[in-house]
Amino acid sequence: MQDKICYIFGAGDLYVDEVEISPGSLIIAADGGLYHTKKLGIEPDIFLGDFDSADRSDAGKNCVVFPSKKDYTDMFLAVEYGKEHGYTRFELYGGLGGKRIEHTLANLQMLAFYTQKGLSLRLHGNQTVITAYFNDPAVTGKACVQIDFDASHHGYLSLFASCGQVSDVTLTGLKYPLSSAVLTPDFPLGVSNEFIGEAAHIEFSKGTLIVVYPEKQLHEKQ
């Protein structure tokens, strides 16, 4: 049985003309993301935010309103809402770009934060997905995380360490292979690798890894 999916629409750049919503999903419009759902013809289940980028009269009745003075972004609060309602997979649109780069940076930090709590978040950009993976054998009980891409993938793949170093990074089936390497958050060693028409494999033993790849289905070994 697949985990339920929560779709969240923020006020950043949308990049897409349509989003296919899985049955039984929760749809949240986070503040100005309300206008993205209207553009896409999607009816959100709930509006959530502080109305700094949306007009309250456009939001309808199902609103969770927060004060503008708060410690969390609207996107973060939307993920918290989904989490509290039993959702573990999140597809995030409108979380990149826009007029305020700090929200993009905050959302990247959010990926790292929630992957350490066992949630799966994917930020959808311009034909690109950004996600994060975490492992600590003492916490997860897994010796390593393994991420596989099938041979149909093409384009660039980039990897970034977050929250400290990522250990024992091994890459196969890519233009630039690695074997038991260490990625650190202060040097972009993993940027702009490439798919080469083969099945590609990523593996690491410990740390938080940010993965950037072309928009296509990803398969992770559990």
Side-chain angles (χ1 to χ4, degrees):
M1 181 177 178
Q2 287 190 335
D3 296 330
K4 297 187 297 181
I5 301 175
C6 178
Y7 294 84
I8 300 174
F9 294 86
D13 291 332
L14 183 59
Y15 298 111
V16 297
D17 296 322
E18 61 180 358
V19 175
E20 184 176 346
I21 305 294
S22 298
S25 299
L26 175 66
I27 304 169
I28 302 176
D31 216 281
L34 172 67
Y35 300 113
H36 289 327
T37 61
K38 288 181 178 294
K39 177 181 177 181
L40 294 168
I42 295 172
E43 184 68 31
D45 297 300
I46 193 162
F47 170 90
L48 183 152
D50 58 11
F51 288 105
D52 68 346
S53 58
D55 190 315
R56 177 139 193 186
S57 64
D58 295 328
K61 295 182 179 179
N62 294 328
C63 296
V64 178
V65 182
F66 293 93
S68 57
K69 293 183 178 181
K70 58 187 188 304
D71 293 331
Y72 308 101
T73 66
D74 293 325
M75 186 74 85
F76 191 101
L77 290 168
V79 175
E80 277 294 296
Y81 184 94
K83 175 175 173 285
E84 290 170 2
H85 286 77
Y87 290 82
T88 57
R89 292 179 57 196
F90 295 81
E91 303 291 343
L92 311 179
Y93 294 85
L96 299 170
K99 297 179 180 179
R100 298 180 59 188
I101 188 65
E102 62 266 36
H103 281 287
T104 292
L105 296 174
N107 288 333
L108 293 173
Q109 286 190 324
M110 187 174 69
L111 293 183
F113 177 83
Y114 278 113
T115 191
Q116 294 177 27
K117 297 186 177 299
L119 302 186
S120 173
L121 276 64
R122 302 201 310 166
L123 275 167
H124 295 264
N126 188 5
Q127 301 180 48
T128 301
V129 173
I130 308 174
T131 191
Y133 294 89
F134 166 77
N135 196 52
D136 181 343
V139 175
T140 66
K142 298 193 297 186
C144 65
V145 166
Q146 301 180 58
I147 307 163
D148 290 323
F149 295 86
D150 64 39
S152 68
H153 283 79
H154 63 276
Y156 291 103
L157 169 78
S158 294
L159 307 174
F160 300 93
S162 180
C163 311
Q165 72 179 30
V166 179
S167 304
D168 301 313
V169 179
T170 296
L171 309 177
T172 59
L174 294 162
K175 185 174 182 179
Y176 305 106
L178 281 177
S179 179
S180 299
V182 173
L183 298 184
T184 63
D186 56 359
F187 187 77
L189 177 65
V191 72
S192 295
N193 212 323
E194 292 184 54
F195 294 103
I196 54 175
E198 299 179 7
H201 178 78
I202 302 168
E203 184 175 310
F204 69 96
S205 65
K206 188 175 182 179
T208 302
L209 185 69
I210 303 291
V211 182
V212 184
Y213 60 95
E215 180 85 54
K216 191 174 173 67
Q217 183 63 43
L218 175 70
H219 302 282
E220 179 192 1
K221 291 183 178 179
Q222 301 297 324

